[in-house]
Amino acid sequence: MPENIEKTYELRDIQADDLFILVSIVGKIGIKEFKACFASDDVKAAVMSMAKKDENEEAADNSNDITSVGISVALDIASILMANIGRCKSDIYALLSNLSGMKAADIAKLPVMTFTSMVVDLVKKKEFADFFQEAVKLFK
């Protein structure tokens, strides 16, 4: 998060009950848009690079590659959410409300940079990535 943005929220871990809102958001945006995040040339190249690494190399090297891929996918997903926010505005407000404990109306009044940072923080959560990895498996 940029230094000039005051983080006025904390997001709890995503729980089973939150999945219903996530599914609604994905339905409004389209699973193909999210699937494309995992099928991009950058992700494929990173995965191939990790697969080609010599078994004798340290695990930390692989961990850095995995982190880079995860960040790339998270940012792609954040970009998709921001581009399609109008279709699922109330669902995104509801999800962020559930995760932060803030009222949806208060989230709607956040400064745009704080709101954007909140969305980026959401998609960087491990459980968020786990959800999409499992959902993409259904469409292979």
Side-chain angles (χ1 to χ4, degrees):
M1 177 182 332
E3 292 178 22
N4 60 344
I5 297 174
E6 182 180 345
K7 188 172 177 176
T8 57
Y9 61 88
E10 186 173 327
L11 301 179
R12 66 163 170 75
D13 290 343
I14 298 171
Q15 300 171 350
D17 206 34
D18 301 316
L19 294 180
F20 300 99
I21 298 173
L22 276 172
V23 169
S24 177
I25 292 168
V26 170
K28 289 176 181 174
I29 293 173
I31 192 69
K32 288 182 182 180
E33 293 244 16
F34 288 109
K35 184 178 179 183
C37 294
F38 296 95
S40 73
D41 290 339
D42 290 340
V43 172
K44 287 178 185 176
V47 170
M48 291 302 292
S49 172
M50 288 184 292
K52 289 180 183 178
K53 284 201 182 263
D54 184 24
E55 291 179 5
N56 295 330
E57 291 187 47
E58 292 183 23
D61 291 338
N62 239 359
S63 176
N64 289 338
D65 289 341
I66 292 168
T67 300
S68 295
V69 170
I71 290 171
S72 173
V73 169
L75 292 175
D76 287 346
I77 290 172
S79 175
I80 289 169
L81 284 174
M82 296 312 255
N84 292 287
I85 204 164
R87 294 183 192 158
C88 47
K89 177 172 101 172
S90 61
D91 290 324
I92 292 172
Y93 287 168
L95 180 60
L96 293 174
S97 174
N98 286 353
L99 297 176
S100 68
M102 296 171 64
K103 293 180 182 179
D106 292 336
I107 291 171
K109 294 177 184 176
L110 286 172
V112 70
M113 292 302 292
T114 304
F115 176 76
T116 303
S117 293
M118 197 176 208
V119 171
V120 170
D121 286 348
L122 168 63
V123 299
K124 285 182 176 179
K125 290 184 127 335
K126 181 184 180 323
E127 317 86 77
F128 191 86
D130 291 347
F131 166 76
F132 282 100
Q133 286 172 348
E134 291 302 312
V136 167
K137 287 179 187 176
L138 297 173
F139 294 92
K140 286 188 175 181

